Each structure stands twice: as structure tokens, then as C-alpha cells.
Amino acid sequence: MKIAVATSDHVNVDHFGRTKGFTIYQWGGDDPEYIKYIETNIDPEAKHQWQQGLSILGDCEVVIAAQAGMTAKYGIKKANLKLVEDEGTVEEVLNRFIDHEMFMNKPI
């Protein structure tokens, strides 16, 4: 699965609509593999730019962001993306998400 993490500085997770880019990872059960960083080319001071971020996520299945506005959440859902809201560093939130996915998909 491809996972996009909203981050402007490649370290901390950002708000979905204000991020300067997304770090893209591929994860298939082992360690996540870094794929690339995609810039959003938005004005971080302007509001309601979530569509620019959404339009570059391509074949990602999951997007992780510190927050997303109500309209962005609707757009993310309509694009069939799973939104995970979490705060911390990119590494922390990515590892928490993967740990949670592995726990939830364990056989009973």
C-alpha cells in the first residue's frame, strides 16, 4: 500500500491543506520503503488549498496528516483515501500507523 505523509520539512507532520508536500512510502508488511517527496506548490498562508494536495496523491491509499479541514475530509473520502490524523514526526506517525495496521490484521 502507498502511504502519503503530509510534511513541509521532511521531519514533522503537517496539516493536510497547508503542507508544502507529501512524503510517499510503499508498505507491504515489512519496513516501509521511501518512494519520493512530492511538493504541493501552495501558499502556506492561504486557506482552502486542500484540493492541490489531493490532486497529487495519485495511487496512494492512505494519507497521514496532523489535521484536515471538514471540506478536505469530504474530498479525501470521496477520493477513496483513508485519512489518519496524528501528530509527531513523520517516522513516529508512520510507525504508529503500521503497528496499528499489523495489530488490526492479526489472525484471531
Side-chain angles (χ1 to χ4, degrees):
M1 103 178 29
K2 280 194 180 173
I3 304 166
V5 182
T7 181
S8 295
D9 62 5
H10 302 269
V11 176
N12 298 297
V13 177
D14 282 341
H15 187 285
F16 181 83
R18 294 193 180 137
T19 191
K20 292 181 182 176
F22 293 91
T23 302
I24 310 299
Y25 293 91
Q26 178 71 44
W27 179 65
D30 296 320
D31 291 333
E33 176 188 348
Y34 171 83
I35 302 294
K36 62 185 170 182
Y37 182 78
I38 305 172
E39 292 186 7
T40 58
N41 296 316
I42 65 164
D43 175 0
E45 301 302 318
K47 292 184 176 187
H48 309 295
Q49 297 186 75
W50 62 270
Q51 289 175 324
Q52 288 171 295
L54 188 59
S55 69
I56 63 173
L57 294 181
D59 58 350
C60 291
E61 297 172 55
V62 176
V63 61
I64 301 174
Q67 291 180 321
M70 189 177 294
T71 307
K73 286 179 183 178
Y74 176 78
I76 291 166
K77 183 176 181 179
K78 192 172 180 181
N80 294 319
L81 284 168
K82 178 178 184 176
L83 172 64
V84 176
E85 292 179 293
D86 197 0
E87 294 182 5
T89 67
V90 171
E91 184 178 355
E92 289 170 345
V93 300
L94 186 60
N95 287 333
R96 275 194 295 266
F97 171 75
I98 289 171
D99 289 346
H100 180 74
E101 284 292 305
M102 289 174 45
F103 175 78
M104 294 304 290
N105 290 310
K106 270 189 199 177
I108 297 177

